[in-house]
Amino acid sequence: MAELEERVGKVENRLTRIETEIPHLKDSIDKNTQSNEKMTEALNNLGKTMENINHTTETQQKEITDQIETLKNKQEEMNQITNNMKEALLMLDDSGKILSINPAALKLFEMYENGILFSRCFIPFTPHILHFATKHATIGFF
């Protein structure tokens, strides 16, 4: 019987410890639940933000694609116009590098891969000459 009483005493001690820990465990569970709810809310907000970013990115991609298509069409239109001009058209950058040349200008200047061989004239394309040409082009002097 003493052995049984000893076992019952141990069980009662364990139950007493469990009962004293229950409020602490309940508080811990409540805190974890609150943390989980906050985490879920944060993840939901993040998901909405990601959806907005994705939508914005898709919209911007479509706009860029449309703009590229418009530019290609404008470039093709410009090529059609300049390629069918009777006048020679030569576009240069600030350093004199040829950016664009139409067939009439090719015929006039006899363009080769390594540069321009001017069969009818020779004009060194210096910034001074380019400035002079653009200044006087509007009044028909050049």
Side-chain angles (χ1 to χ4, degrees):
M1 180 84 140
E3 190 178 312
L4 183 58
E5 286 178 4
E6 184 181 329
R7 284 186 175 179
V8 169
K10 287 181 181 179
V11 169
E12 285 175 347
N13 286 338
R14 287 182 184 161
L15 287 174
T16 303
R17 280 190 302 194
I18 290 173
E19 286 173 351
T20 59
E21 290 295 322
I22 286 177
H24 299 296
L25 291 173
K26 185 180 179 302
D27 287 343
S28 180
I29 289 171
D30 289 344
K31 287 179 183 177
N32 284 338
T33 301
Q34 290 172 356
S35 293
N36 286 340
E37 288 171 357
K38 288 179 182 178
M39 183 67 81
T40 300
E41 182 180 348
L43 288 172
N44 287 337
N45 289 336
L46 180 61
K48 290 176 186 175
T49 301
M50 293 304 295
E51 287 175 9
N52 289 337
I53 290 171
N54 188 37
H55 175 71
T56 301
T57 303
E58 288 174 355
T59 301
Q60 288 175 344
Q61 182 63 40
K62 183 177 180 342
E63 289 173 2
I64 290 169
T65 301
D66 291 347
Q67 289 173 353
I68 289 171
E69 186 63 30
T70 299
L71 288 173
K72 284 180 182 177
N73 291 338
K74 292 293 183 183
Q75 179 66 43
E76 181 60 33
E77 182 180 337
M78 180 70 169
N79 289 341
Q80 293 276 335
I81 292 168
T82 59
N83 287 341
N84 293 309
M85 290 173 58
K86 292 180 184 178
E87 298 81 15
L89 178 66
L90 182 67
M91 287 188 253
L92 308 169
D93 67 8
D94 291 339
S95 68
K97 179 181 173 187
I98 297 173
L99 299 174
S100 177
I101 186 167
N102 72 347
L106 285 173
K107 185 176 179 184
L108 177 66
F109 298 131
E110 293 182 9
M111 176 80 168
Y112 292 101
E113 280 187 38
N114 294 328
I116 297 178
L117 172 64
F118 297 94
S119 62
R120 298 183 188 167
C121 61
F122 176 76
I123 302 172
F125 288 108
T126 64
H128 175 71
I129 295 293
L130 291 173
H131 174 72
F132 178 81
T134 55
K135 180 178 176 185
H136 296 288
T138 57
I139 60 172
F141 179 76
F142 189 71

